[in-house]
């Protein structure tokens, strides 16, 4: 009887320890600081390389460093890791000047500050199966008399991008990231994906196909991220376009691979690590 109790207690203690040591993932959603303008609606970010903005970024990066990530994963092609390795090595050696992109401003800067041996490229954005036309929901809308619905669908996205652009002008970089990583803000953005299947029919639905490839892309990205967690105590900081947040965060939790850590307490300097 006593032996059974002790064995059971040890087993439960082991399970508790395993849970405490689960790898952690923090998703830091970002606007594209270098203004790639590749989306239907794009927030315009002023030059973050001014002295004032650089000071704000340095302060935010110092706060993120307190979380002590063991890996920093960024939106950079997985197949081009060697190219990223060279960029990071050049930056550490003083031979590379950071671009405005968040992968540089936050990713490379933070990795150097922490003394990490590398920054991990985890992106995949290759061609989905089939023809481009299979996913072109905007062209389908115009060809099937749905131009008004298209405009009605896209207008709120553009209005949100315009509001964000104005917000950025009068707020700090930390405020920007608190906005982009507000779960309510992310969820509002994600609702748009449910509108896209309206652009199609049972024979051909490029809207649904586009959403499907978006889910598939994020799953491929997450597969690269999870491969970084080789030890129970690993902490993976994922710096990515905020639009990926609902999917990558959901993958982290539902896969049971990571314990998800919210960035807000760390961004504000109010976190108490456990």
């Amino acid at each position: 009887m006593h032996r059974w109790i002790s064995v059971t207690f040890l087993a439960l203690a082991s399970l508790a320890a395993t849970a405490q040591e689960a790898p952690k993932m923090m998703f830091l959603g970002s606007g594209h600081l270098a203004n790639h303008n590749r989306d239907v609606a794009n927030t315009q970010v002023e030059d973050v390389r001014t002295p004032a903005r650089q000071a704000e970024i340095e302060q935010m990066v110092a706060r993120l460093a307190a979380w002590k990530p063991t890996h920093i994963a960024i939106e950079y092609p997985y197949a081009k890791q060697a190219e990223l390795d060279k960029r990071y090595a050049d930056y550490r050696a003083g031979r590379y000047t950071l671009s405005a992109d968040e992968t540089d401003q936050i990713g490379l800067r933070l990795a150097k500050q922490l003394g990490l041996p590398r920054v991990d490229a985890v992106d995949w954005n290759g061609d989905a199966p089939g023809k481009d036309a299979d996913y072109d929901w905007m062209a389908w809308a115009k060809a099937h008399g749905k131009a008004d619905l298209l405009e009605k669908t896209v207008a709120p996205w553009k209005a949100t991008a315009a509001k964000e652009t104005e917000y950025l002008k009068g707020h700090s970089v930390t405020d920007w990231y608190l906005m982009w990583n507000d779960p309510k803000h992310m969820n509002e953005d994600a609702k748009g994906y449910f509108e896209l299947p309206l652009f199609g029919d049972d024979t051909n639905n490029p809207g649904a196909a586009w959403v499907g490839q978006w889910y598939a892309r994020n799953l491929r990205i997450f597969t690269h991220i999870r491969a970084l967690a080789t030890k129970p105590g690993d902490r993976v900081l994922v710096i990515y376009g905020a639009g990926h947040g609902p999917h990558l965060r959901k993958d982290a939790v539902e896969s049971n691979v990571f314990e998800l850590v919210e960035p807000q307490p760390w961004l504000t300097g109010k976190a108490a690590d456990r």
Side-chain angles (χ1 to χ4, degrees), residues 179-194:
M179 174 190 69
W180 284 321
N181 288 279
D182 179 355
K184 183 178 179 181
H185 188 82
M186 283 189 184
N187 290 336
E188 282 297 318
D189 286 346
K191 287 180 182 178
Y193 298 123
F194 294 96

Side-chain angles (χ1 to χ4, degrees), residues 41-61:
N42 298 278
T43 301
Q44 297 302 307
V45 184
E46 63 185 54
D47 192 349
V48 297
R49 292 166 295 185
T50 64
R53 292 305 189 190
Q54 286 293 288
E56 292 174 355
I57 290 174
E58 288 171 2
Q59 180 188 57
M60 190 181 78
V61 165

Side-chain angles (χ1 to χ4, degrees), residues 16-186:
T18 300
Q20 290 175 356
E21 294 170 0
K24 298 177 182 179
M25 184 185 113
M26 179 189 294
F27 179 85
L28 183 69
S30 180
H32 292 305
L33 304 186
N35 295 317
H36 299 156
N37 294 322
R38 297 171 185 160
D39 300 318
V40 176
N42 298 278
T43 301
Q44 297 302 307
V45 184
E46 63 185 54
D47 192 349
V48 297
R49 292 166 295 185
T50 64
R53 292 305 189 190
Q54 286 293 288
E56 292 174 355
I57 290 174
E58 288 171 2
Q59 180 188 57
M60 190 181 78
V61 165
R63 289 175 176 172
L64 289 170
W67 187 56
K68 300 178 183 177
T70 57
H71 296 278
I72 296 175
I74 64 172
E75 193 169 351
Y76 199 94
Y78 178 82
K80 295 184 178 180
Q81 181 67 54
E83 182 180 284
L84 179 59
D85 289 342
K86 183 180 185 305
R87 177 183 295 189
Y88 182 48
D90 287 345
Y91 172 57
R92 296 179 80 181
R95 297 187 299 267
Y96 176 76
T97 301
L98 297 178
S99 71
D101 197 271
E102 64 274 6
T103 56
D104 278 10
Q105 288 293 323
I106 302 173
L108 266 63
R109 190 194 299 266
L110 178 55
K112 180 181 178 182
Q113 184 170 325
L114 292 169
L116 296 182
R118 66 183 266 173
V119 178
D120 294 287
V122 296
D123 195 34
W124 184 90
N125 197 14
D127 291 332
K131 305 181 296 295
D132 288 348
D134 295 336
Y135 304 90
D136 195 342
W137 52 275
M138 298 182 80
W140 187 95
K142 294 171 184 176
H144 290 78
K146 300 289 186 179
D148 289 347
L149 178 61
L150 176 63
E151 179 59 30
K152 181 181 178 181
T153 301
V154 172
W157 306 348
K158 293 183 176 180
T160 296
K163 289 179 181 178
E164 287 184 357
T165 297
E166 286 303 310
Y167 180 87
L168 303 188
K169 294 176 182 178
H171 292 80
S172 71
V173 171
T174 295
D175 289 335
W176 300 356
Y177 279 87
L178 288 171
M179 174 190 69
W180 284 321
N181 288 279
D182 179 355
K184 183 178 179 181
H185 188 82
M186 283 189 184

Side-chain angles (χ1 to χ4, degrees), residues 219-240:
L219 187 57
R220 293 181 74 147
I221 292 167
F222 178 71
T223 300
H224 293 152
I225 294 169
R226 71 180 294 177
L228 301 176
T230 59
K231 301 185 297 297
D234 275 331
R235 298 175 175 218
V236 182
L237 173 62
V238 179
I239 303 168
Y240 241 83

